[in-house]
Amino acid sequence: MADSSLSVGALILCMASFLRSATCNGDSQKHAPLFVFGDSLFDAGNNNYIKCGIGNQANFWPYGETFFKYPTGRFCDGRVLPDFIAEYAKLPLIPPFLQPGLHQFTYGANFASGGAGALVETHPGTINLKMQLENFKKVEKSLRQKLGSSETTKILSRAVYLFSIGGNDYHDVETIRPYKEEYIAMVIGNITMALKEIHRKGGRKFGFQNVAPMGCIPATMQRYNSSGCVKEPSAMGKLHNIGLSEALRRLENQLEGFKYSIFDYHTALSERTNYPSKYGFKEGKTACCGSGPHRAVNSCGGKRGVKQYHLCSNTSEYVWFDFAHTSETANRQLAQLMWSGPPHVTGPYNIQALFQML
């Protein structure tokens, strides 16, 4: 459970979000809500409120040190991608669904959970995609009770549904290797079923961040004792991303009004890891916070079994904040590409275009 500093900080953030929402109520019809699904890359703090183990939580210092000045539960020194997308869309910060308090669901909700996968078996104890979908249905039911069926259907059809899911399902490459095609099909199948269900409820606009170059994650490089990106894990991610693209194209042909965006997170992050100076970073392979080679031991904050850790003095110089999560500076760059990147980076629509489809 979160400590008192987190609770006070969360209350301040909740009040700020509510006050901004209150000032926006008069023109809420002009906004498309943002509903967020996914893993630790998008989690805004849902894991603070579940018993998932400290390894899947980030509600302690130095997480949150740069922007919020307190740990919010985000796996970052500051903001994650959906925070920037909300800002660009002129929405308030989208709070975690499980955060206590008065939620303005007309602006959306964040269901993401650190460690979550598309498969139920991935990291038990976290909020997997199926459970996130059930939480979305609770929001849908709440909106229909408050606003009526007709207005809720309009809100859900205007909304953008943002996903970062699948990466955690591929962490055990050696086990998957003998039947990788069947395994990838299961992961994509679960994602497809969730999209069809959201579409049935009224959703029409879906944004995806594809799976990261898993071989370039500091934790993977440390595990394989490599000084650079490891080929096989990244290749598995590429196969998933090809399958995801194919599945979304099929859904576009099958489902009425279905529009989608895929941000090539895999390539964008590979570029920053391998050529950090090109993007304004000093370090692309070693994390800001952690211990061991590449600071890739999951020790940031000293509460996950290893108490000793190193924390860099300037997070903006690093692509990676910890063993598997990017810094706020990297997140801002990546969010800008997701929001307004050209078709070869974010396509067939970028997220800005989806928000403009009111």
Short mmCIF file of all heavy atoms in Angstrom, two decimals, residues 214-274:
data_model
loop_
_atom_site.label_atom_id
_atom_site.label_comp_id
_atom_site.label_asym_id
_atom_site.label_seq_id
_atom_site.Cartn_x
_atom_site.Cartn_y
_atom_site.Cartn_z
N MET A 214 12.65 -5.36 -27.34
CA MET A 214 12.92 -5.94 -26.02
C MET A 214 14.38 -6.28 -25.80
O MET A 214 14.85 -6.32 -24.66
CB MET A 214 12.02 -7.16 -25.82
CG MET A 214 10.55 -6.78 -25.71
SD MET A 214 9.47 -8.20 -25.54
CE MET A 214 9.62 -8.92 -27.16
N GLY A 215 15.10 -6.53 -26.88
CA GLY A 215 16.52 -6.80 -26.75
C GLY A 215 17.35 -5.58 -26.40
O GLY A 215 18.53 -5.70 -26.04
N CYS A 216 16.76 -4.39 -26.50
CA CYS A 216 17.46 -3.14 -26.19
C CYS A 216 17.15 -2.63 -24.79
O CYS A 216 17.71 -1.62 -24.36
CB CYS A 216 17.08 -2.06 -27.21
SG CYS A 216 17.56 -2.43 -28.91
N ILE A 217 16.27 -3.30 -24.07
CA ILE A 217 15.95 -2.92 -22.70
C ILE A 217 17.15 -3.23 -21.81
O ILE A 217 17.74 -4.32 -21.92
CB ILE A 217 14.69 -3.68 -22.22
CG1 ILE A 217 13.47 -3.23 -23.04
CG2 ILE A 217 14.44 -3.47 -20.74
CD1 ILE A 217 12.23 -4.06 -22.80
N PRO A 218 17.57 -2.32 -20.93
CA PRO A 218 18.73 -2.59 -20.08
C PRO A 218 18.67 -3.93 -19.36
O PRO A 218 19.68 -4.64 -19.26
CB PRO A 218 18.71 -1.41 -19.09
CG PRO A 218 18.09 -0.29 -19.87
CD PRO A 218 17.06 -0.94 -20.73
N ALA A 219 17.50 -4.30 -18.85
CA ALA A 219 17.37 -5.57 -18.14
C ALA A 219 17.70 -6.76 -19.04
O ALA A 219 18.30 -7.75 -18.59
CB ALA A 219 15.97 -5.71 -17.57
N THR A 220 17.29 -6.69 -20.30
CA THR A 220 17.59 -7.77 -21.25
C THR A 220 19.07 -7.83 -21.56
O THR A 220 19.67 -8.91 -21.60
CB THR A 220 16.78 -7.59 -22.55
OG1 THR A 220 15.40 -7.46 -22.25
CG2 THR A 220 16.99 -8.76 -23.48
N MET A 221 19.69 -6.68 -21.79
CA MET A 221 21.13 -6.66 -22.07
C MET A 221 21.92 -7.21 -20.89
O MET A 221 22.90 -7.93 -21.07
CB MET A 221 21.57 -5.23 -22.42
CG MET A 221 21.04 -4.74 -23.76
SD MET A 221 21.76 -3.16 -24.30
CE MET A 221 20.87 -2.01 -23.26
N GLN A 222 21.48 -6.88 -19.68
CA GLN A 222 22.16 -7.39 -18.49
C GLN A 222 21.97 -8.91 -18.36
O GLN A 222 22.91 -9.64 -18.05
CB GLN A 222 21.61 -6.68 -17.25
CG GLN A 222 22.37 -6.97 -15.96
CD GLN A 222 21.74 -8.06 -15.14
OE1 GLN A 222 20.62 -8.48 -15.43
NE2 GLN A 222 22.46 -8.55 -14.14
N ARG A 223 20.76 -9.38 -18.66
CA ARG A 223 20.47 -10.81 -18.56
C ARG A 223 21.32 -11.62 -19.53
O ARG A 223 21.78 -12.71 -19.21
CB ARG A 223 18.98 -11.03 -18.85
CG ARG A 223 18.55 -12.50 -18.84
CD ARG A 223 17.09 -12.63 -19.22
NE ARG A 223 16.68 -14.02 -19.35
CZ ARG A 223 15.51 -14.41 -19.82
NH1 ARG A 223 14.62 -13.52 -20.21
NH2 ARG A 223 15.22 -15.69 -19.91
N TYR A 224 21.53 -11.10 -20.74
CA TYR A 224 22.31 -11.80 -21.76
C TYR A 224 23.80 -11.42 -21.73
O TYR A 224 24.56 -11.82 -22.61
CB TYR A 224 21.74 -11.52 -23.14
CG TYR A 224 20.45 -12.26 -23.44
CD1 TYR A 224 19.23 -11.76 -23.04
CD2 TYR A 224 20.47 -13.47 -24.13
CE1 TYR A 224 18.04 -12.44 -23.31
CE2 TYR A 224 19.29 -14.15 -24.42
CZ TYR A 224 18.09 -13.63 -24.00
OH TYR A 224 16.91 -14.30 -24.28
N ASN A 225 24.18 -10.60 -20.74
CA ASN A 225 25.57 -10.16 -20.60
C ASN A 225 26.08 -9.54 -21.90
O ASN A 225 27.16 -9.84 -22.40
CB ASN A 225 26.47 -11.33 -20.19
CG ASN A 225 27.84 -10.86 -19.72
OD1 ASN A 225 27.99 -9.74 -19.22
ND2 ASN A 225 28.85 -11.72 -19.87
N SER A 226 25.27 -8.65 -22.45
CA SER A 226 25.56 -8.03 -23.74
C SER A 226 25.81 -6.53 -23.57
O SER A 226 25.19 -5.88 -22.72
CB SER A 226 24.39 -8.25 -24.71
OG SER A 226 24.59 -7.55 -25.91
N SER A 227 26.70 -5.99 -24.38
CA SER A 227 26.97 -4.56 -24.36
C SER A 227 26.05 -3.78 -25.29
O SER A 227 26.05 -2.55 -25.30
CB SER A 227 28.43 -4.28 -24.76
OG SER A 227 28.67 -4.76 -26.07
N GLY A 228 25.25 -4.50 -26.08
CA GLY A 228 24.32 -3.87 -27.01
C GLY A 228 23.02 -4.63 -27.11
O GLY A 228 22.78 -5.60 -26.36
N CYS A 229 22.16 -4.23 -28.00
CA CYS A 229 20.84 -4.85 -28.15
C CYS A 229 20.98 -6.34 -28.50
O CYS A 229 21.83 -6.72 -29.31
CB CYS A 229 20.03 -4.13 -29.22
SG CYS A 229 19.68 -2.41 -28.83
N VAL A 230 20.13 -7.16 -27.91
CA VAL A 230 20.13 -8.60 -28.12
C VAL A 230 19.12 -8.93 -29.22
O VAL A 230 17.96 -8.51 -29.13
CB VAL A 230 19.79 -9.35 -26.82
CG1 VAL A 230 19.89 -10.86 -27.02
CG2 VAL A 230 20.70 -8.89 -25.68
N LYS A 231 19.54 -9.68 -30.22
CA LYS A 231 18.73 -9.86 -31.42
C LYS A 231 17.45 -10.66 -31.20
O LYS A 231 16.37 -10.25 -31.65
CB LYS A 231 19.56 -10.52 -32.52
CG LYS A 231 20.65 -9.62 -33.09
CD LYS A 231 21.39 -10.31 -34.22
CE LYS A 231 22.45 -9.39 -34.81
NZ LYS A 231 23.19 -10.05 -35.93
N GLU A 232 17.52 -11.81 -30.54
CA GLU A 232 16.36 -12.70 -30.51
C GLU A 232 15.14 -12.09 -29.82
O GLU A 232 14.02 -12.16 -30.36
CB GLU A 232 16.71 -14.04 -29.85
CG GLU A 232 15.55 -15.04 -29.96
CD GLU A 232 15.89 -16.40 -29.40
OE1 GLU A 232 16.88 -16.52 -28.67
OE2 GLU A 232 15.14 -17.35 -29.68
N PRO A 233 15.27 -11.47 -28.62
CA PRO A 233 14.09 -10.85 -28.01
C PRO A 233 13.47 -9.77 -28.89
O PRO A 233 12.25 -9.66 -28.99
CB PRO A 233 14.63 -10.28 -26.71
CG PRO A 233 15.83 -11.11 -26.40
CD PRO A 233 16.44 -11.41 -27.74
N SER A 234 14.33 -8.95 -29.53
CA SER A 234 13.79 -7.91 -30.40
C SER A 234 13.10 -8.50 -31.62
O SER A 234 12.08 -7.98 -32.09
CB SER A 234 14.92 -6.97 -30.85
OG SER A 234 15.38 -6.19 -29.76
N ALA A 235 13.64 -9.61 -32.14
CA ALA A 235 13.01 -10.28 -33.29
C ALA A 235 11.63 -10.80 -32.93
O ALA A 235 10.70 -10.74 -33.74
CB ALA A 235 13.90 -11.42 -33.78
N MET A 236 11.47 -11.30 -31.69
CA MET A 236 10.16 -11.76 -31.24
C MET A 236 9.16 -10.61 -31.21
O MET A 236 8.01 -10.74 -31.63
CB MET A 236 10.27 -12.38 -29.85
CG MET A 236 9.01 -13.06 -29.37
SD MET A 236 8.72 -14.65 -30.16
CE MET A 236 9.98 -15.67 -29.37
N GLY A 237 9.64 -9.45 -30.73
CA GLY A 237 8.79 -8.27 -30.73
C GLY A 237 8.37 -7.85 -32.13
O GLY A 237 7.23 -7.44 -32.37
N LYS A 238 9.30 -7.97 -33.09
CA LYS A 238 8.98 -7.62 -34.48
C LYS A 238 7.89 -8.52 -35.04
O LYS A 238 6.98 -8.06 -35.75
CB LYS A 238 10.23 -7.70 -35.35
CG LYS A 238 11.18 -6.53 -35.20
CD LYS A 238 12.32 -6.63 -36.20
CE LYS A 238 13.25 -5.43 -36.12
NZ LYS A 238 14.36 -5.51 -37.10
N LEU A 239 7.97 -9.82 -34.72
CA LEU A 239 6.94 -10.75 -35.19
C LEU A 239 5.57 -10.38 -34.62
O LEU A 239 4.56 -10.42 -35.32
CB LEU A 239 7.31 -12.18 -34.81
CG LEU A 239 8.48 -12.80 -35.57
CD1 LEU A 239 8.82 -14.17 -34.99
CD2 LEU A 239 8.17 -12.92 -37.06
N HIS A 240 5.55 -10.02 -33.34
CA HIS A 240 4.29 -9.57 -32.73
C HIS A 240 3.77 -8.33 -33.45
O HIS A 240 2.56 -8.25 -33.76
CB HIS A 240 4.51 -9.24 -31.26
CG HIS A 240 3.36 -8.51 -30.63
ND1 HIS A 240 2.34 -9.16 -29.98
CD2 HIS A 240 3.05 -7.18 -30.58
CE1 HIS A 240 1.46 -8.27 -29.56
NE2 HIS A 240 1.86 -7.06 -29.91
N ASN A 241 4.65 -7.38 -33.71
CA ASN A 241 4.23 -6.13 -34.34
C ASN A 241 3.67 -6.34 -35.75
O ASN A 241 2.72 -5.68 -36.16
CB ASN A 241 5.39 -5.14 -34.36
CG ASN A 241 5.76 -4.66 -32.96
OD1 ASN A 241 4.96 -4.75 -32.04
ND2 ASN A 241 6.98 -4.17 -32.81
N ILE A 242 4.26 -7.28 -36.48
CA ILE A 242 3.72 -7.63 -37.81
C ILE A 242 2.31 -8.21 -37.65
O ILE A 242 1.38 -7.84 -38.39
CB ILE A 242 4.65 -8.62 -38.52
CG1 ILE A 242 5.96 -7.94 -38.90
CG2 ILE A 242 3.97 -9.20 -39.78
CD1 ILE A 242 7.04 -8.90 -39.38
N GLY A 243 2.15 -9.11 -36.70
CA GLY A 243 0.84 -9.72 -36.45
C GLY A 243 -0.19 -8.70 -36.01
O GLY A 243 -1.36 -8.76 -36.43
N LEU A 244 0.23 -7.74 -35.18
CA LEU A 244 -0.69 -6.69 -34.73
C LEU A 244 -1.16 -5.84 -35.91
O LEU A 244 -2.35 -5.55 -36.04
CB LEU A 244 0.00 -5.81 -33.69
CG LEU A 244 -0.80 -4.61 -33.19
CD1 LEU A 244 -2.05 -5.06 -32.43
CD2 LEU A 244 0.07 -3.71 -32.29
N SER A 245 -0.24 -5.45 -36.78
CA SER A 245 -0.59 -4.64 -37.95
C SER A 245 -1.59 -5.37 -38.84
O SER A 245 -2.58 -4.78 -39.31
CB SER A 245 0.66 -4.28 -38.75
OG SER A 245 1.53 -3.46 -38.01
N GLU A 246 -1.35 -6.65 -39.05
CA GLU A 246 -2.25 -7.44 -39.89
C GLU A 246 -3.63 -7.56 -39.25
O GLU A 246 -4.67 -7.46 -39.93
CB GLU A 246 -1.65 -8.82 -40.12
CG GLU A 246 -0.40 -8.80 -40.99
CD GLU A 246 0.29 -10.16 -41.06
OE1 GLU A 246 -0.08 -11.06 -40.27
OE2 GLU A 246 1.20 -10.31 -41.91
N ALA A 247 -3.67 -7.76 -37.93
CA ALA A 247 -4.95 -7.89 -37.23
C ALA A 247 -5.76 -6.59 -37.30
O ALA A 247 -6.98 -6.62 -37.51
CB ALA A 247 -4.70 -8.29 -35.78
N LEU A 248 -5.08 -5.47 -37.14
CA LEU A 248 -5.79 -4.19 -37.18
C LEU A 248 -6.32 -3.88 -38.58
O LEU A 248 -7.42 -3.31 -38.73
CB LEU A 248 -4.87 -3.07 -36.69
CG LEU A 248 -4.50 -3.13 -35.19
CD1 LEU A 248 -3.53 -2.02 -34.83
CD2 LEU A 248 -5.74 -3.05 -34.32
N ARG A 249 -5.58 -4.27 -39.60
CA ARG A 249 -6.07 -4.08 -40.97
C ARG A 249 -7.33 -4.93 -41.20
O ARG A 249 -8.28 -4.47 -41.86
CB ARG A 249 -4.99 -4.44 -41.98
CG ARG A 249 -3.92 -3.36 -42.16
CD ARG A 249 -3.11 -3.58 -43.43
NE ARG A 249 -2.31 -4.80 -43.36
CZ ARG A 249 -1.07 -4.86 -42.91
NH1 ARG A 249 -0.48 -3.76 -42.47
NH2 ARG A 249 -0.40 -6.00 -42.90
N ARG A 250 -7.34 -6.13 -40.68
CA ARG A 250 -8.53 -6.98 -40.82
C ARG A 250 -9.72 -6.37 -40.10
O ARG A 250 -10.85 -6.36 -40.64
CB ARG A 250 -8.25 -8.39 -40.28
CG ARG A 250 -7.33 -9.22 -41.17
CD ARG A 250 -7.37 -10.69 -40.78
NE ARG A 250 -6.86 -10.90 -39.42
CZ ARG A 250 -5.59 -11.16 -39.12
NH1 ARG A 250 -4.68 -11.21 -40.08
NH2 ARG A 250 -5.23 -11.36 -37.87
N LEU A 251 -9.50 -5.85 -38.89
CA LEU A 251 -10.60 -5.24 -38.14
C LEU A 251 -11.14 -4.01 -38.86
O LEU A 251 -12.35 -3.74 -38.82
CB LEU A 251 -10.12 -4.87 -36.73
CG LEU A 251 -9.83 -6.03 -35.79
CD1 LEU A 251 -9.31 -5.52 -34.45
CD2 LEU A 251 -11.08 -6.89 -35.57
N GLU A 252 -10.27 -3.25 -39.50
CA GLU A 252 -10.73 -2.08 -40.25
C GLU A 252 -11.71 -2.49 -41.34
O GLU A 252 -12.67 -1.75 -41.64
CB GLU A 252 -9.52 -1.36 -40.86
CG GLU A 252 -9.87 -0.07 -41.57
CD GLU A 252 -8.64 0.63 -42.12
OE1 GLU A 252 -7.71 -0.08 -42.55
OE2 GLU A 252 -8.61 1.87 -42.12
N ASN A 253 -11.49 -3.64 -41.94
CA ASN A 253 -12.38 -4.13 -43.00
C ASN A 253 -13.64 -4.79 -42.45
O ASN A 253 -14.67 -4.82 -43.11
CB ASN A 253 -11.64 -5.14 -43.89
CG ASN A 253 -10.53 -4.49 -44.71
OD1 ASN A 253 -10.65 -3.35 -45.12
ND2 ASN A 253 -9.45 -5.23 -44.93
N GLN A 254 -13.57 -5.31 -41.23
CA GLN A 254 -14.67 -6.06 -40.65
C GLN A 254 -15.64 -5.21 -39.83
O GLN A 254 -16.84 -5.48 -39.83
CB GLN A 254 -14.13 -7.18 -39.74
CG GLN A 254 -13.33 -8.26 -40.46
CD GLN A 254 -12.62 -9.17 -39.47
OE1 GLN A 254 -12.73 -9.02 -38.26
NE2 GLN A 254 -11.88 -10.15 -40.00
N LEU A 255 -15.12 -4.19 -39.13
CA LEU A 255 -15.92 -3.45 -38.15
C LEU A 255 -16.29 -2.06 -38.66
O LEU A 255 -15.41 -1.29 -39.09
CB LEU A 255 -15.16 -3.34 -36.83
CG LEU A 255 -14.73 -4.66 -36.18
CD1 LEU A 255 -13.97 -4.40 -34.88
CD2 LEU A 255 -15.93 -5.57 -35.92
N GLU A 256 -17.54 -1.73 -38.55
CA GLU A 256 -18.03 -0.44 -39.02
C GLU A 256 -17.36 0.72 -38.29
O GLU A 256 -17.35 0.77 -37.05
CB GLU A 256 -19.54 -0.36 -38.83
CG GLU A 256 -20.16 0.95 -39.30
CD GLU A 256 -21.65 1.03 -39.02
OE1 GLU A 256 -22.20 0.03 -38.51
OE2 GLU A 256 -22.24 2.08 -39.31
N GLY A 257 -16.81 1.66 -39.04
CA GLY A 257 -16.24 2.88 -38.46
C GLY A 257 -14.93 2.71 -37.74
O GLY A 257 -14.42 3.65 -37.13
N PHE A 258 -14.34 1.52 -37.79
CA PHE A 258 -13.10 1.24 -37.06
C PHE A 258 -11.93 1.99 -37.69
O PHE A 258 -11.62 1.83 -38.86
CB PHE A 258 -12.83 -0.27 -37.09
CG PHE A 258 -11.64 -0.71 -36.28
CD1 PHE A 258 -11.78 -1.14 -34.97
CD2 PHE A 258 -10.36 -0.71 -36.83
CE1 PHE A 258 -10.69 -1.56 -34.22
CE2 PHE A 258 -9.25 -1.12 -36.10
CZ PHE A 258 -9.42 -1.55 -34.79
N LYS A 259 -11.28 2.86 -36.90
CA LYS A 259 -10.10 3.60 -37.33
C LYS A 259 -8.98 3.32 -36.33
O LYS A 259 -9.22 3.19 -35.14
CB LYS A 259 -10.37 5.11 -37.37
CG LYS A 259 -11.54 5.52 -38.26
CD LYS A 259 -11.25 5.26 -39.73
CE LYS A 259 -12.41 5.73 -40.60
NZ LYS A 259 -12.18 5.39 -42.03
N TYR A 260 -7.75 3.27 -36.82
CA TYR A 260 -6.66 2.94 -35.90
C TYR A 260 -5.37 3.67 -36.25
O TYR A 260 -5.18 4.17 -37.36
CB TYR A 260 -6.41 1.43 -35.90
CG TYR A 260 -5.77 0.88 -37.15
CD1 TYR A 260 -4.38 0.74 -37.25
CD2 TYR A 260 -6.54 0.48 -38.24
CE1 TYR A 260 -3.80 0.23 -38.40
CE2 TYR A 260 -5.96 -0.03 -39.39
CZ TYR A 260 -4.59 -0.15 -39.46
OH TYR A 260 -4.00 -0.65 -40.60
N SER A 261 -4.51 3.70 -35.26
CA SER A 261 -3.18 4.28 -35.37
C SER A 261 -2.19 3.33 -34.73
O SER A 261 -2.46 2.80 -33.65
CB SER A 261 -3.15 5.64 -34.64
OG SER A 261 -1.83 6.11 -34.49
N ILE A 262 -1.06 3.10 -35.40
CA ILE A 262 0.03 2.34 -34.79
C ILE A 262 1.27 3.22 -34.77
O ILE A 262 1.75 3.67 -35.81
CB ILE A 262 0.37 1.04 -35.55
CG1 ILE A 262 -0.84 0.12 -35.65
CG2 ILE A 262 1.51 0.30 -34.84
CD1 ILE A 262 -0.55 -1.16 -36.42
N PHE A 263 1.77 3.48 -33.59
CA PHE A 263 3.03 4.20 -33.43
C PHE A 263 4.16 3.18 -33.41
O PHE A 263 4.15 2.23 -32.62
CB PHE A 263 3.02 5.01 -32.12
CG PHE A 263 4.36 5.51 -31.68
CD1 PHE A 263 5.25 6.10 -32.57
CD2 PHE A 263 4.74 5.41 -30.34
CE1 PHE A 263 6.48 6.56 -32.16
CE2 PHE A 263 5.97 5.86 -29.92
CZ PHE A 263 6.85 6.43 -30.82
N ASP A 264 5.15 3.36 -34.28
CA ASP A 264 6.27 2.43 -34.36
C ASP A 264 7.26 2.70 -33.23
O ASP A 264 8.37 3.20 -33.43
CB ASP A 264 6.96 2.55 -35.72
CG ASP A 264 7.99 1.44 -35.96
OD1 ASP A 264 8.13 0.56 -35.08
OD2 ASP A 264 8.67 1.48 -37.01
N TYR A 265 6.81 2.38 -32.04
CA TYR A 265 7.60 2.54 -30.82
C TYR A 265 8.89 1.72 -30.91
O TYR A 265 9.94 2.15 -30.44
CB TYR A 265 6.73 2.08 -29.66
CG TYR A 265 7.33 2.15 -28.28
CD1 TYR A 265 7.59 3.38 -27.67
CD2 TYR A 265 7.59 0.98 -27.55
CE1 TYR A 265 8.10 3.44 -26.39
CE2 TYR A 265 8.10 1.04 -26.26
CZ TYR A 265 8.36 2.27 -25.69
OH TYR A 265 8.86 2.33 -24.41
N HIS A 266 8.79 0.55 -31.52
CA HIS A 266 9.93 -0.36 -31.65
C HIS A 266 11.11 0.34 -32.33
O HIS A 266 12.25 0.34 -31.81
CB HIS A 266 9.51 -1.59 -32.45
CG HIS A 266 10.52 -2.70 -32.49
ND1 HIS A 266 11.64 -2.65 -33.27
CD2 HIS A 266 10.56 -3.89 -31.85
CE1 HIS A 266 12.34 -3.76 -33.11
NE2 HIS A 266 11.71 -4.53 -32.25
N THR A 267 10.86 0.96 -33.46
CA THR A 267 11.93 1.63 -34.20
C THR A 267 12.39 2.91 -33.50
O THR A 267 13.59 3.18 -33.39
CB THR A 267 11.47 1.96 -35.62
OG1 THR A 267 11.16 0.73 -36.30
CG2 THR A 267 12.54 2.69 -36.41
N ALA A 268 11.44 3.70 -33.02
CA ALA A 268 11.78 4.98 -32.38
C ALA A 268 12.66 4.77 -31.15
O ALA A 268 13.62 5.52 -30.91
CB ALA A 268 10.50 5.73 -32.00
N LEU A 269 12.35 3.74 -30.36
CA LEU A 269 13.14 3.48 -29.16
C LEU A 269 14.48 2.84 -29.50
O LEU A 269 15.50 3.14 -28.85
CB LEU A 269 12.34 2.59 -28.21
CG LEU A 269 12.90 2.41 -26.80
CD1 LEU A 269 13.23 3.75 -26.15
CD2 LEU A 269 11.91 1.64 -25.93
N SER A 270 14.50 1.99 -30.51
CA SER A 270 15.78 1.41 -30.97
C SER A 270 16.74 2.51 -31.39
O SER A 270 17.94 2.48 -31.06
CB SER A 270 15.55 0.47 -32.16
OG SER A 270 14.82 -0.66 -31.79
N GLU A 271 16.23 3.49 -32.13
CA GLU A 271 17.05 4.60 -32.59
C GLU A 271 17.66 5.36 -31.42
O GLU A 271 18.86 5.70 -31.43
CB GLU A 271 16.21 5.55 -33.45
CG GLU A 271 15.97 5.06 -34.86
CD GLU A 271 17.19 5.27 -35.74
OE1 GLU A 271 17.72 6.39 -35.77
OE2 GLU A 271 17.63 4.29 -36.37
N ARG A 272 16.87 5.64 -30.41
CA ARG A 272 17.35 6.42 -29.27
C ARG A 272 18.31 5.62 -28.40
O ARG A 272 19.22 6.19 -27.80
CB ARG A 272 16.15 6.94 -28.47
CG ARG A 272 15.49 8.12 -29.15
CD ARG A 272 14.03 8.34 -28.74
NE ARG A 272 13.53 9.53 -29.45
CZ ARG A 272 13.15 9.53 -30.73
NH1 ARG A 272 13.20 8.41 -31.44
NH2 ARG A 272 12.71 10.63 -31.29
N THR A 273 18.11 4.31 -28.34
CA THR A 273 19.03 3.46 -27.58
C THR A 273 20.38 3.36 -28.27
O THR A 273 21.43 3.45 -27.62
CB THR A 273 18.42 2.06 -27.41
OG1 THR A 273 17.19 2.15 -26.68
CG2 THR A 273 19.37 1.14 -26.65
N ASN A 274 20.38 3.22 -29.58
CA ASN A 274 21.62 3.00 -30.32
C ASN A 274 22.33 4.30 -30.71
O ASN A 274 23.57 4.31 -30.84
CB ASN A 274 21.33 2.19 -31.59
CG ASN A 274 20.95 0.76 -31.27
OD1 ASN A 274 21.57 0.12 -30.43
ND2 ASN A 274 19.92 0.25 -31.93
#
